[in-house]
Amino acid sequence: MDINDIIKPENLVYDKSPLQIDTIMHYCPGCSHGVVHKLVAEIIEELGIQEDTIGVSPVGCAVFAYNYIDIDWQQAAHGRAPAVATGIARTNPEKIVFTYQGDGDLASIGAGEILHACNRGENIVVIFINNAIYGMTGGQMAPTTLIGQPTSTSPNGRDVALNGYPMKMTEIIATLPGTYYVTRQSVHTAATVRKCKKAIKKAFQNVIAKKGTSFVEVVSTCNSGWKMTPVGANTWMEENMFPEYVPGDLKDNDIQKPASGN
Amino acid sequence: MGELRLMKGNEVLAEAAIRCGCDAYFGYPITPQSEVMETLMEQKPWESTGMVVLQAESEVASINMVYGAAASGKKAMTSSSSPGISLMTEGISYIAGAELPCLIVNVQRGGPGLGTIQPSQADYFQAVKGGGHGDYRLITLAPASVQEMHDFVKLAFDLAFKYRNPSMILTDGALGQMMEKVELADYTPRRTKEEIIDQCGSWATTGKTSGREKHVITSLEMDSHKMEQNNLRFQDKFKNIEANEVRYEAIRCDDAELILVAFGTSSRICQKAIELARDKGIKVGLIRPITLYPFPTAIIAELAPRVKGFLSVEMSAGQMVEDVKLAVYNARCITPVEHFGRMGGILPSPNEVVDALESKFLNQ
Amino acid sequence: MAKVRGAVVVEKEGCKGCSLCVEACPQEVLALHKEVNSRGYHYSYMKNPEECIGCSNCGVVCPDTCITVYRVKF
């Protein structure tokens, strides 16, 4: 069979979402952001909520998320996306509001805002990209940097005595009664990308159903910051990140009603 | 005639917000302005007008909630007092950079640092020179009565939306805590979704419809040339504001040889000082800036050639006095400009003001 | 059993040569080209097109959404 007999519109099985803007993203080759952006665009399209969705982009590499998905966006100050999203969601309860934040943004400078937004049970989706490093500013240590992991501000590896421990935000968030769905995903293989898409889609569906905060961590790579190849970074992530940041659902109120006090 | 009530300044800020169709208030408790949010929580406007009231986890969160609401075209406000406003300055700079309309109320207390809970006017620089990083200005209104605390809420929102720029009401603990008779405005309904799209549909995040491009609210621009163009556009806007929105009150200036310049609480003290001074035969008048930005430069420049001096009376070490000097300089005059102030939460007395006039201008 | 054939179209200029698609392909269809695109990246291409089953794994993992996948059953 000739290749040109296969490449025909009626045989199309995988293509870019029309909601993803036709431009080359500024991310480094192999960056997880691109995959997650793609998923968000696909989900907004599939749910038919383009007109109702407001995205909040962070400070960090994903600040330019607004250039890639064809919806209305607000760009928040560093760490403040959950507060900005609160302002949108409270005054526009009919809108589907999501934040897209990195680990420096969410776990360090914005630790207060995310905890309180989740504790209030703001009806928002939070997408948390955890690559254990500050990408945009050039690979500095993040709160989620692993013990011993070298970064430009921990060149000899993260030292507990000096820098404390990797911060497991998602575990902390899951303890807050305001949250409805808290999960940790990854996008390093086709199977995990498909699974992650289901999780993010569920988070959006929860917000459409006004169930409260849905929080999706995506354990990600920053191969430039880690100074690895994209494929090597995926392997390193599986071997080193997953033991610390174990993938899976931490809380899903659809399946299990919370225990008392949680 | 509207409804008359005896009310505290802080309470009237809340009442005026509800009555002018405000969509949302986000705040954090701090003395001496906590009655603003307390009054709103008591009034429960979410049940009447649909206005959202939320106690945030910090001033930082409050101002960013205002950002989110304002960016979707809503009439959003916050209030705080000096240390809380310092925390908000990052967010205010972002709001100015993203050209969002909103209202910030500063019920000033003495600083620096935690300072005191007593009234002060030492946040003048912070308010009128921008406050946060970058070249921006806040339309700054200075009420001098509880009635003006009421009236300026609507005015501040109107100006904010007219220019797509944050407005500030710069008041102090004395006016916030003071009770006076106030005539309340009738209720203006909150704008409908359609009215918001009519008013803000060209820029706000009202949801991307197929009929338009996506809207992005951001203060970020990586291209230096474009960022300079953004700044030039802001500067044009500020020139426009300076040309059209100056407000002040001139009291007994016609025959005055000495002019007091004072705003807010200080201006009330100065009115008494004028009486005391005139009893002594000193012809004194008062310029009361109502807009601190834009500053009433022209009237001061106009008076400068024919008066013997200006005394800027402030509850600070002397901040507005610099703008009075600039106004006199603009008139190419050498009329003396002096300052008298008390700090730390102390209000100057009318007699002290008269003494200052005499010692700085007459007994030389 | 029905036979399945697939084909992959890589938008050459959008590819940054990260090779995640090469790694994700179960059939070893894809490889990075020895030539580079206008931005200097060795782009992905179908080295063994006859092996493609149109599973879309390459497209799914592509961070730059530059892969389109086609599939036929016969």
Side-chain angles (χ1 to χ4, degrees):
Chain A
M1 184 179 241
D2 187 76
I3 199 89
N4 291 322
D5 292 327
I6 307 172
I7 302 172
K8 284 180 173 170
E10 62 268 30
N11 298 332
L12 185 69
V13 288
Y14 190 84
D15 197 9
K16 193 179 211 165
S17 162
L19 287 200
Q20 191 174 337
I21 292 167
D22 203 14
T23 182
I24 294 173
M25 291 193 263
H26 71 286
Y27 299 113
C28 304
C31 176
S32 309
H33 276 306
V35 181
V36 183
H37 282 18
K38 172 171 71 176
L39 297 184
V40 173
E42 288 172 2
I43 289 162
I44 293 170
E45 182 206 349
E46 287 165 20
L47 295 173
I49 53 171
Q50 181 187 23
E51 293 192 6
D52 301 316
T53 305
I54 313 290
V56 184
S57 79
V59 169
C61 288
V63 63
F64 292 120
Y66 56 67
N67 286 334
Y68 306 130
I69 303 175
D70 195 19
I71 54 168
D72 280 359
W73 285 91
Q74 296 188 17
Q75 194 277 310
H78 200 17
R80 318 301 176 214
V84 170
T86 299
I88 307 169
R90 290 282 177 139
T91 56
N92 299 273
E94 75 288 357
K95 291 282 188 276
I96 316 303
V97 183
F98 74 94
T99 71
Y100 187 106
Q101 305 176 257
D103 44 83
D105 193 83
L106 184 142
S108 190
I109 196 166
E113 282 76 14
I114 191 63
L115 283 180
H116 285 277
C118 289
N119 194 48
R120 288 188 301 265
E122 296 297 340
N123 193 44
I124 59 172
V125 176
V126 177
I127 298 169
F128 168 37
I129 306 297
N130 176 12
N131 56 19
I133 208 160
Y134 283 74
M136 177 165 268
T137 45
Q140 293 83 9
M141 186 187 66
T144 50
T145 296
L146 301 178
I147 296 166
Q149 185 182 348
T151 70
S152 66
T153 52
S154 58
N156 300 312
R158 182 180 187 152
D159 173 6
V160 168
L162 186 63
N163 308 119
Y165 296 88
M167 196 141 163
K168 298 185 180 184
M169 285 306 286
T170 306
E171 275 78 356
I172 298 170
I173 295 293
T175 65
L176 301 172
T179 53
Y180 190 86
Y181 174 52
V182 180
T183 185
R184 182 181 281 127
Q185 302 289 330
S186 68
V187 289
H188 65 300
T189 63
T192 54
V193 174
R194 290 186 173 105
K195 193 159 166 280
C196 183
K197 182 176 175 181
K198 277 187 190 142
I200 298 176
K201 192 168 191 172
K202 183 185 175 81
F204 272 87
Q205 285 165 328
N206 286 346
V207 166
I208 292 168
K210 299 195 190 305
K211 289 177 174 175
T213 315
S214 286
F215 185 101
V216 183
E217 173 180 344
V218 185
V219 184
S220 301
T221 60
C222 174
N223 58 74
S224 295
W226 295 359
K227 307 193 189 310
M228 296 174 192
T229 64
V231 173
N234 276 344
T235 309
W236 191 88
M237 177 178 75
E238 283 187 272
E239 289 171 358
N240 298 278
M241 295 275 281
F242 285 178
E244 189 75 22
Y245 305 112
V246 181
D249 286 353
L250 284 87
K251 179 180 188 179
D252 185 353
N253 283 359
D254 273 343
I255 294 166
Q256 196 177 11
K257 287 293 160 197
S260 60
N262 184 22
Chain B
M1 186 118 185
E3 186 185 345
L4 287 177
R5 259 197 240 169
L6 182 67
M7 290 182 86
K8 258 190 178 189
N10 285 338
E11 293 167 356
V12 94
L13 287 168
E15 188 67 39
I18 299 169
R19 287 176 183 250
C20 79
C22 179
D23 293 304
Y25 172 96
F26 303 99
Y28 185 77
I30 183 171
T31 309
Q33 64 79 56
S34 295
E35 294 90 347
V36 182
M37 186 162 45
E38 287 170 354
T39 305
L40 287 166
M41 290 299 184
E42 189 79 25
Q43 295 271 20
K44 296 195 250 184
W46 52 92
E47 289 179 359
S48 50
T49 70
M51 176 183 174
V52 170
V53 187
L54 185 64
Q55 178 170 337
E57 65 270 29
S58 65
E59 288 90 348
V60 174
S62 305
I63 194 68
N64 284 288
M65 290 174 188
V66 168
Y67 180 107
S72 51
K74 303 287 180 174
K75 241 185 212 186
M77 70 179 287
T78 184
S79 65
S80 188
S81 180
S82 310
I85 299 292
S86 293
L87 277 169
M88 288 184 189
T89 49
E90 175 203 44
I92 295 172
S93 174
Y94 276 69
I95 286 172
E99 295 190 86
L100 302 177
C102 72
L103 168 59
I104 303 130
V105 182
N106 182 358
V107 185
Q108 295 167 97
R109 57 190 257 183
L114 199 51
T116 173
I117 60 169
Q118 309 297 335
S120 166
Q121 295 180 324
D123 301 348
Y124 177 90
F125 281 152
Q126 187 192 51
V128 308
K129 309 296 182 191
H133 59 284
D135 282 313
Y136 73 90
R137 300 289 184 147
L138 302 175
I139 300 166
T140 309
L141 299 168
S145 64
V146 174
Q147 184 66 54
E148 285 188 342
M149 296 276 265
H150 169 277
D151 298 347
F152 289 1
V153 171
K154 179 181 186 307
L155 175 62
F157 271 125
D158 288 348
L159 293 173
F161 275 85
K162 182 174 175 186
Y163 293 99
R164 270 187 70 188
N165 199 70
S167 289
M168 174 173 276
I169 291 178
L170 187 70
T171 180
D172 63 65
L175 282 159
Q177 296 297 326
M178 179 189 294
M179 290 188 90
E180 278 187 323
K181 184 178 76 175
V182 59
E183 183 185 347
L184 299 172
D186 291 336
Y187 288 92
T188 304
R190 288 169 53 242
R191 292 159 304 155
T192 61
K193 273 178 204 167
E194 292 69 29
E195 285 167 338
I196 288 174
I197 287 173
D198 252 13
Q199 187 181 16
C200 311
S202 65
W203 56 269
T205 58
T206 50
K208 192 225 168 288
T209 52
S210 52
R212 67 158 169 86
E213 296 290 298
K214 69 180 159 65
H215 289 165
V216 177
I217 302 294
T218 182
S219 54
L220 176 66
E221 177 50 68
M222 295 296 281
D223 180 332
S224 296
H225 295 282
K226 286 184 185 166
M227 193 63 214
E228 186 177 48
Q229 288 306 313
N230 287 352
N231 269 288
L232 290 170
R233 193 175 72 249
F234 302 160
Q235 293 305 313
D236 282 347
K237 175 165 77 177
F238 300 140
K239 285 197 182 75
N240 197 8
I241 292 170
E242 287 164 17
N244 295 300
E245 303 302 343
V246 171
R247 288 165 172 79
Y248 65 90
E249 186 183 11
I251 297 170
R252 304 188 74 173
C253 289
D254 291 348
D255 66 340
E257 293 174 345
L258 290 171
I259 301 290
L260 299 169
V261 186
F263 67 93
T265 297
S266 297
S267 70
R268 296 169 69 115
I269 295 161
C270 285
Q271 291 195 51
K272 184 64 184 174
I274 291 172
E275 283 176 33
L276 298 177
R278 285 191 176 251
D279 287 347
K280 289 184 163 188
I282 313 167
K283 288 181 179 170
V284 181
L286 169 68
I287 293 295
R288 174 173 81 92
I290 291 171
T291 50
L292 298 176
Y293 180 82
F295 191 72
T297 303
I299 182 64
I300 289 168
E302 188 186 317
L303 290 167
R306 69 167 178 82
V307 300
K308 287 182 182 159
F310 293 91
L311 181 67
S312 184
V313 180
E314 309 168 53
M315 286 136 64
S316 74
Q319 300 189 9
M320 183 175 69
V321 63
E322 294 188 6
D323 286 330
V324 179
K325 283 180 182 170
L326 280 174
V328 172
Y329 169 80
N330 283 349
R332 299 291 181 267
C333 285
I334 52 162
T335 317
V337 178
E338 299 286 348
H339 164 261
F340 173 71
R342 296 297 302 268
M343 291 169 278
I346 294 176
L347 273 58
S349 76
N351 280 320
E352 284 176 327
V353 175
V354 177
D355 289 350
L357 279 170
E358 288 180 322
S359 69
K360 289 174 193 286
F361 296 104
L362 303 173
N363 300 339
Q364 285 164 355
Chain C
M1 192 179 157
K3 201 166 158 21
V4 174
R5 276 285 310 269
V8 166
V9 178
V10 179
E11 187 203 337
K12 182 175 143 187
E13 288 303 316
C15 179
K16 294 175 186 162
C18 71
S19 82
L20 291 180
C21 56
V22 177
E23 193 72 12
C25 178
Q27 301 290 105
E28 297 182 10
V29 174
L30 296 167
L32 293 191
H33 207 284
K34 67 179 191 308
E35 289 177 4
V36 295
N37 63 18
S38 69
R39 300 161 71 234
Y41 293 118
H42 292 281
Y43 52 92
S44 172
Y45 79 112
M46 284 204 289
K47 192 179 179 187
N48 304 306
E50 64 286 350
E51 296 298 320
C52 181
I53 54 170
C55 71
S56 302
N57 282 4
C58 52
V60 167
V61 299
C62 175
D64 292 289
T65 330
C66 56
I67 294 178
T68 312
V69 185
Y70 298 85
R71 192 182 200 204
V72 282
K73 281 181 190 170
F74 55 91

